[in-house]
């Protein structure tokens, strides 16, 4: 194995991923699902694979933190979201317009998805992130907002308040930068990165110290999490936001931050594992101001005060 860079491609259902160096496909939540062919599971050695429904791609990060061999750089992409290491496509366009559709040889060459091109592109950087984005306030997405407002509008506001408190309790030296970053109208999204090994080790310890303490104080049996698998991904959502705090802290410490174009994959159906759970009833959850409206099959009920 070449020892300068390894990049994990996190997946739960798509298995037809590039496996040539430096890419390593890894299955998040492997302890809870059938193994994907030719994909490393996050359920060996020291792992939190069973916590994947809350931690998302972070269960794969934890596995690599505890089990991966040391290299100069280590990175994490989602199976649909990769960096472009080739020539810029359209700097003036929004990231969602920069697409790919397969992992064939022409695509790999076009985006520089090979070991030599990647190591040449990132050499000298301490942290590589996607292009920073302007934050727009949901749900209209028409006006500028802050990272804090973005989380509160998309998820459970108590969780981001708790996270900021935990950061201040565990890392009081990060209090000022936490307030500044969460009040910023720009941010990095998708929790994808490449970091020097030592910085990755530091980030993992910082990230899991925070998110594990936060998660331990959240009642995951509450309806908002129990009946909504999307909101149950709370630790992953928190991680996606607070990486901004860590990156800014390292920037202030003199780290060299590089930004690369983020791409989105519209991948062929053939590469997905299709194995719907047996006898699972469909249910839908609608969040109201102070309640949840839940429909299971043709039955609907409300939990909490509908106002």
């Amino acid at each position: 194995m070449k020892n300068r860079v390894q990049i994990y491609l996190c997946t739960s259902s798509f298995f037809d991923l590039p496996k040539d160096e430096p890419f390593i496909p890894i299955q998040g939540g492997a302890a809870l699902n059938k193994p994907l062919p030719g994909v490393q599971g996050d359920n060996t050695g020291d792992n939190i694979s069973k916590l994947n429904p809350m931690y998302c791609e972070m269960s794969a990060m934890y596995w690599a933190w505890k089990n991966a061999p040391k290299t100069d750089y280590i990175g994490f992409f989602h199976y649909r979201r990769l960096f472009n290491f080739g020539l810029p496509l359209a700097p003036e366009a929004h990231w969602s317009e920069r697409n790919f559709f397969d992992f064939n040889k022409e695509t790999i060459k076009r985006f520089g998805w090979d070991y030599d091109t990647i190591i040449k592109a990132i050499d000298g950087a301490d942290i590589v992130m996607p292009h920073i984005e302007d934050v727009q306030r949901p749900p209209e997405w028409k006006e500028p907002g802050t990272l804090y407002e973005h989380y509160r509008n998309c998820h459970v506001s108590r969780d981001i308040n708790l996270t900021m408190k935990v950061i201040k309790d565990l890392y009081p030296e990060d209090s000022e930068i936490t307030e500044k970053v969460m009040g910023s109208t720009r941010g990095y999204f998708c929790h994808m990165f490449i970091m020097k090994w030592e910085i990755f080790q530091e980030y993992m310890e910082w990230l899991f110290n925070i998110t594990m303490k936060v998660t331990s104080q959240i009642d995951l049996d509450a309806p908002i999490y129990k009946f909504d698998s999307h909101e149950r991904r709370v630790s992953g959502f928190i991680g996606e936001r607070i990486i901004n705090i860590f990156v800014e802290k390292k920037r202030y410490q003199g780290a060299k931050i590089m930004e690369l174009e983020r791409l989105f994959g519209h991948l062929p159906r053939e590469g997905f594992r299709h194995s719907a759970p047996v006898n699972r009833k469909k249910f839908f959850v609608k969040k109201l101001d102070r309640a949840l409206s839940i429909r299971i099959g043709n039955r609907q009920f409300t939990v909490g005060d509908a106002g």
Side-chain angles (χ1 to χ4, degrees), residues 203-244:
Y203 175 52
M204 289 293 98
E205 182 175 2
W206 183 89
L207 175 67
F208 283 103
N209 281 347
I210 294 166
T211 53
M212 286 186 169
K213 185 168 183 179
V214 170
T215 306
S216 71
Q217 297 180 48
I218 294 175
D219 179 10
L220 293 171
D221 288 326
I224 188 65
Y225 309 106
K226 188 173 183 178
F227 296 107
D228 188 342
S229 60
H230 183 70
E231 290 305 330
R232 196 169 180 83
R233 297 161 62 185
V234 54
S235 305
F237 293 141
I238 290 169
E240 182 183 12
R241 286 1 185 260
I242 68 174
I243 190 175
N244 287 275

Side-chain angles (χ1 to χ4, degrees), residues 132-136 144-150 164 177-189 244 248 252:
I132 200 164
E133 298 177 45
D134 292 328
V135 179
Q136 292 182 312
T146 66
L147 280 171
Y148 177 74
E149 291 170 337
H150 187 275
M164 293 172 70
I177 197 166
T178 295
E179 292 289 344
K180 180 177 180 179
V181 169
M182 296 310 297
S184 173
T185 58
R186 306 192 79 200
Y188 299 112
F189 286 89
N244 287 275
E248 285 307 303
Y252 288 153

Side-chain angles (χ1 to χ4, degrees), residues 66-81:
K66 298 296 185 179
N67 300 286
K70 181 179 179 181
T71 50
D72 292 348
Y73 289 97
I74 183 168
F76 282 84
F77 298 165
H78 303 267
Y79 70 95
R80 273 197 176 109
R81 293 185 174 96

Side-chain angles (χ1 to χ4, degrees), residues 80-294:
R80 273 197 176 109
R81 293 185 174 96
L82 283 77
F83 288 159
N84 174 23
F85 299 95
L87 295 175
L89 295 181
E92 73 285 353
H94 189 267
W95 66 267
S96 63
E97 297 178 14
R98 303 162 192 166
N99 302 316
F100 66 94
F101 300 89
D102 52 49
F103 292 105
N104 63 30
K105 291 182 179 179
E106 291 76 16
T107 303
I108 290 172
K109 182 177 180 180
R110 178 183 183 187
F111 298 125
W113 292 338
D114 64 85
Y115 182 92
D116 291 336
T117 301
I118 290 172
I119 198 64
K120 182 178 180 180
I122 68 174
D123 201 20
D126 294 307
I127 300 174
V128 185
M129 298 293 291
H131 285 318
I132 200 164
E133 298 177 45
D134 292 328
V135 179
Q136 292 182 312
R137 185 181 291 111
E140 292 83 7
W141 307 103
K142 294 180 180 180
E143 297 181 1
T146 66
L147 280 171
Y148 177 74
E149 291 170 337
H150 187 275
Y151 193 99
R152 292 193 62 185
N153 280 275
C154 289
H155 308 296
V156 180
S157 59
R158 173 187 177 275
D159 296 340
I160 195 62
N161 293 331
L162 175 59
T163 300
M164 293 172 70
K165 181 180 183 304
V166 167
I167 293 174
K168 293 174 184 178
D169 290 343
L170 293 179
Y171 300 96
E173 68 276 13
D174 293 342
S175 294
E176 184 176 345
I177 197 166
T178 295
E179 292 289 344
K180 180 177 180 179
V181 169
M182 296 310 297
S184 173
T185 58
R186 306 192 79 200
Y188 299 112
F189 286 89
C190 297
H191 208 177
M192 53 189 295
F193 58 83
I194 301 173
M195 296 180 180
K196 283 190 173 177
W197 180 265
E198 293 75 14
I199 294 178
F200 173 72
Q201 298 296 311
E202 180 185 349
Y203 175 52
M204 289 293 98
E205 182 175 2
W206 183 89
L207 175 67
F208 283 103
N209 281 347
I210 294 166
T211 53
M212 286 186 169
K213 185 168 183 179
V214 170
T215 306
S216 71
Q217 297 180 48
I218 294 175
D219 179 10
L220 293 171
D221 288 326
I224 188 65
Y225 309 106
K226 188 173 183 178
F227 296 107
D228 188 342
S229 60
H230 183 70
E231 290 305 330
R232 196 169 180 83
R233 297 161 62 185
V234 54
S235 305
F237 293 141
I238 290 169
E240 182 183 12
R241 286 1 185 260
I242 68 174
I243 190 175
N244 287 275
I245 299 170
F246 181 82
V247 170
E248 285 307 303
K249 178 170 72 168
K250 299 309 294 182
R251 193 193 307 272
Y252 288 153
Q253 292 174 357
K256 182 179 179 181
I257 314 299
M258 177 185 292
E259 296 180 4
L260 290 176
E261 203 165 44
R262 184 172 75 235
L263 306 171
F264 184 82
H266 300 269
L267 299 172
R269 292 171 56 86
E270 292 76 15
F272 288 89
R273 180 191 62 196
H274 299 284
S275 56
V278 179
N279 296 327
R280 175 176 289 182
K281 293 183 178 180
K282 291 184 178 180
F283 67 89
F284 301 89
V285 178
K286 181 179 181 181
K287 287 180 283 185
L288 307 175
D289 286 342
R290 297 183 298 279
L292 290 175
S293 177
I294 304 169

